[in-house]
Amino acid sequence: MPEVDLEAVRAALRAHHPTAVLELPEGQWLDAKKAPYEVRRDPHAVEELAKDVAAFANGGGGIIVVGISTRLEHGREILDKAVSVDRSSVDLDQWRKLIRQHITPAPRRVSVEWSDDEQGACVVCIDVPAQDPGCLFVVAAPAGKKGAPRKDTVAVPVREADGTHWLPRTELQRLLSRGVAASGMPTAQALAGLLRDAVARAQLEAAPAGPRIGQGLPSRQQEIREAYEQLRTAGLGRPVGEAYARGPAALQEFEASREDQPGWVLCVVDGLAPVAVAQPVWQAIRAAGRDGSGDHPLAVVGYPVPGGDRADRHGPWAVPPDARSVDLDGGSWGAGRLVRSGRGVWRWEPAERLGFIMSRYSRNWTAQQPAPQMRLRALVTWPWADTAGLQIAPGKRQDLERALPHSALAGAVTILSRRRGAELPAARWDRGPWRNTPTAVSYTSTITAPGGRRAVSAAVMMSVEDTVVTCVDVLIEDTSAWAALLPGDAGTQLGLDEVQALLLAAWESAAEALPDTLVDPARMRWSAPPTTELRLSAEGPHGQPSPGLSTLIDLEALGPGEDGVRPEMAITITRSPTMHRQERQAVLRRALVHMARHFGYVWAEEELL
């Protein structure tokens, strides 16, 4: 989600990411409307449109997003859901003309445009840029019957916090009087300056005493007060609501001490240093966990923790509004980091974890008979938040078919035989043996020996269900059939360097080539942490005892292992599957060493690989 400042929201809407504004609060420069202004049949709607736009023009600019509902949370309206707008119900050109006709003077450079995305969210964005500070914008004052304002009256709409209001008549009279006294005539520039002073004074005078620091959580009031005193120099102003609890955290929202800065959220968690988080970043944290398992967003992604680059990991700290990343921990997703892209879009990514819990998809696509003698597998689980409607476009499928013979995967399989003196390219890829539908992919390349015996195969598979799963296998189908294709006494046992090369090529294909047939992975939000499973397994022939991995792979470089036949080894990597090749190679080496140690090769080191 973009940072909560006007320019970042503008950029997100112009880039057609309307859902990026969800979870933001309405405020001085942001307003949301669930339904369009019914200007075609309701004259009062024309007045409302002019009033709302003029208020932003008088207040330094802002954005009205039409097609998003809100919910009330701690006294603030939060942009909640994209209900979307039917394009046939809105004439954008008519709205533009009404704005020019009903606001005096017509505000400059106001844009009224659609902002929609591939998931079906469609909103109207009314973008009001900052106007000349010497200009005051007025509309006809509503009088009598709605939709029939008098032409000899004016009213001044102003934006106050998250509401649009009329400047009181007493303030208008005082502004005019002061303008006449100061310059002889109430010029626009004089009135504009007086208007800003009057609005600020009215807000100050109307402001209630407000909640106190820590109010609402008596048992934790003292620690909240202490945290506030330690962090007030970061820019914390007055509380804007009572303190409240979310799991282990005590939270309270504060104004900024400076008018040109966003507010803050004070977060106090037992065992962690207290932290003040700028509202833009806090809203991004909440949005990142919104697509989780139904728990509160913070219970999913956790709470801010000092990163490893902070010298002081125990003292109070602050996350400013221009932060590029923030580390999180304590949620059901485990440790992770929220990172903001150059486009201003926030994305949660898991911290790297190595483990041995396999997913329910780990045995997919393994029912072929006869079973291969050995399988090297890379399987990636993509738990994206919204997979509804995802399908493999015919053009993307054709691109994949053309690319497979020239892929790193095909090259790695070819090199297996070339290193043994035979030129056996993986150049032909056939559809199957599994499903090929708009939501499934299956392609296989097989090197066969005389008599049709399958020697070595490579296969790519993908399933697009509630969770997208991509998988790549390299199969040593029959070592005797493979040996028959090799010159002399070339052996078929794989070296660890070959295992690494095959797994790297398989992982790259599963993490890049296959998901690219659906979407740009960088634009998708997670509903759970993504994982990659790497597996080495000796499987066939069916019904006979497995010979064990050590007969098919030279494992001596790992050092001595436990006695006995080991039919398989596997590991699960929790982290973003998308990365550069050099980084993927480093992760693969760490994962293989961790896996080898877990399965009895306790002396394994990366240098041995």
Side-chain angles (χ1 to χ4, degrees):
M1 184 178 65
E3 180 180 338
V4 186
D5 62 58
L6 182 53
E7 289 306 317
V9 170
R10 275 195 178 111
L13 292 171
R14 288 171 181 169
H16 293 278
H17 300 303
T19 56
V21 301
L22 298 182
E23 296 300 316
L24 302 185
E26 286 189 339
Q28 188 67 33
W29 49 263
L30 180 61
D31 192 20
K33 306 289 182 183
K34 181 178 180 180
Y37 298 92
E38 297 289 346
V39 297
R40 294 175 177 173
R41 55 186 179 84
D42 184 1
H44 180 58
V46 178
E47 297 176 9
E48 285 298 308
L49 173 62
K51 171 186 173 184
D52 292 341
V53 173
F56 279 123
N58 283 326
I63 290 178
I64 304 168
V65 185
V66 181
I68 292 182
S69 63
T70 63
R71 69 176 187 277
L72 188 63
E73 186 172 297
H74 303 296
R76 307 181 74 183
E77 293 291 341
I78 305 297
L79 276 65
D80 188 39
K81 295 179 180 178
V83 297
S84 296
V85 175
D86 182 358
R87 283 179 176 266
S88 64
S89 68
V90 175
D91 184 342
L92 298 189
D93 191 53
Q94 181 188 26
W95 286 23
R96 298 183 189 111
K97 291 178 180 178
L98 291 172
I99 290 170
R100 292 194 296 268
Q101 292 171 358
H102 288 266
I103 302 176
T104 305
R108 301 178 62 188
R109 305 184 308 280
V110 174
S111 68
V112 183
E113 304 293 344
W114 294 104
S115 180
D116 52 9
D117 60 22
E118 297 176 354
Q119 284 70 47
C122 183
V123 304
V124 180
C125 170
I126 305 176
D127 187 349
V128 185
Q131 304 292 311
D132 185 342
C135 190
L136 183 68
F137 297 89
V138 301
V139 298
K145 182 180 178 181
K146 289 183 177 181
R150 291 179 52 176
K151 297 182 179 180
D152 58 351
T153 64
V154 295
V156 181
V158 292
R159 187 74 179 172
E160 297 180 12
D162 60 353
T164 299
H165 310 285
W166 299 112
L167 194 67
R169 182 172 58 185
T170 54
E171 286 295 335
L172 279 174
Q173 187 275 331
R174 195 162 60 82
L175 287 174
L176 290 169
S177 298
R178 289 180 62 183
V180 170
S183 61
M185 285 296 290
T187 64
Q189 185 171 3
L191 284 176
L194 295 173
L195 170 64
R196 287 190 292 272
D197 292 342
V199 170
R201 183 171 55 258
Q203 290 176 335
L204 183 62
E205 293 173 354
R212 298 181 304 277
I213 298 171
Q215 180 179 339
L217 290 178
S219 63
R220 307 190 68 176
Q221 191 171 49
Q222 184 59 36
E223 60 179 316
I224 296 174
R225 288 177 176 174
E226 292 174 356
Y228 175 83
E229 290 301 323
Q230 293 171 317
L231 286 162
R232 65 186 306 173
T233 56
L236 276 68
R238 297 180 300 183
V240 296
E242 291 189 351
Y244 57 98
R246 283 289 182 269
L251 307 170
Q252 191 166 17
E253 299 181 29
F254 291 85
E255 295 177 347
S257 58
R258 291 173 47 187
E259 291 185 359
D260 60 342
Q261 294 291 324
W264 296 86
V265 175
L266 184 60
C267 177
V268 181
V269 180
D270 289 339
L272 298 177
V275 57
V277 184
Q279 275 285 1
V281 185
W282 186 257
Q283 295 301 329
I285 293 172
R286 287 175 52 88
R290 183 163 47 87
D291 296 305
S293 59
D295 296 329
H296 187 273
L298 299 180
V300 173
V301 296
Y303 306 89
V305 296
D309 55 347
R310 292 191 72 247
D312 181 8
R313 296 178 57 84
H314 303 288
W317 59 297
V319 182
D322 60 351
R324 306 300 303 181
S325 65
V326 58
D327 290 282
L328 303 169
D329 203 355
S332 60
W333 285 2
R337 170 172 283 197
L338 195 66
V339 181
R340 186 173 59 169
S341 71
R343 296 179 300 167
V345 178
W346 288 96
R347 181 178 174 86
W348 180 88
E349 298 292 358
E352 182 179 307
R353 298 191 295 278
L354 303 176
F356 302 96
I357 298 176
M358 298 289 108
S359 74
R360 62 189 180 97
Y361 310 105
S362 62
R363 300 294 181 180
N364 284 10
W365 303 294
T366 60
Q368 69 266 35
Q369 294 297 332
Q373 286 187 280
M374 184 170 65
R375 184 189 309 270
L376 290 82
R377 163 167 285 198
L379 183 144
V380 181
T381 302
W382 306 81
W384 287 321
D386 185 6
T387 58
L390 280 185
Q391 291 191 346
I392 302 124
K396 291 287 188 178
R397 185 184 295 274
Q398 290 173 358
D399 291 343
L400 178 64
E401 290 180 354
R402 286 192 290 263
L404 282 172
H406 312 287
S407 64
L409 176 63
V413 173
T414 298
I415 288 174
L416 272 185
S417 298
R418 185 177 295 163
R419 293 180 65 175
R420 291 163 172 79
E423 189 65 28
L424 304 173
R428 176 178 174 178
W429 290 76
D430 299 313
R431 297 182 180 182
W434 315 105
R435 294 189 309 139
N436 275 285
T437 70
T439 59
V441 161
S442 174
Y443 290 91
T444 305
S445 177
T446 302
I447 297 170
T448 58
R453 289 189 301 160
R454 299 162 65 92
V456 179
S457 297
V460 298
M461 292 78 68
M462 178 166 65
S463 174
V464 185
E465 304 294 342
D466 293 338
T467 298
V468 175
V469 180
T470 56
C471 180
V472 175
D473 283 344
V474 176
L475 308 172
I476 307 300
E477 302 271 7
D478 187 329
T479 53
S480 62
W482 189 22
L485 296 170
L486 303 176
D489 57 352
T492 59
Q493 189 180 49
L494 302 186
L496 286 178
D497 58 335
E498 293 178 313
V499 170
Q500 290 180 76
L502 291 170
L503 285 177
L504 179 64
W507 190 5
E508 283 181 332
S509 297
E512 296 174 12
L514 290 174
D516 283 350
T517 63
L518 289 171
V519 293
D520 175 6
R523 295 181 56 185
M524 303 296 284
R525 303 187 313 274
W526 301 121
S527 63
T531 59
T532 297
E533 299 170 50
L534 303 178
R535 178 182 295 275
L536 310 174
S537 56
E539 301 181 9
H542 183 68
Q544 299 182 24
S546 170
L549 286 174
S550 60
T551 64
L552 302 166
I553 302 174
D554 182 3
L555 299 174
E556 290 186 2
L558 296 175
E562 292 181 340
D563 294 334
V565 174
R566 186 170 300 285
E568 68 177 12
M569 294 192 290
I571 191 165
T572 299
I573 305 166
T574 302
R575 64 165 294 161
S576 173
T578 305
M579 64 190 86
H580 296 297
R581 182 181 179 87
Q582 188 174 6
E583 183 182 7
R584 194 184 305 279
Q585 286 176 316
V587 176
L588 175 63
R589 291 169 69 88
R590 288 196 295 271
L592 290 179
V593 168
H594 192 77
M595 179 182 71
R597 290 175 178 174
H598 177 79
F599 284 95
Y601 295 90
V602 295
W603 304 106
E605 297 286 349
E606 287 189 41
E607 291 74 10
L608 300 176
L609 298 178

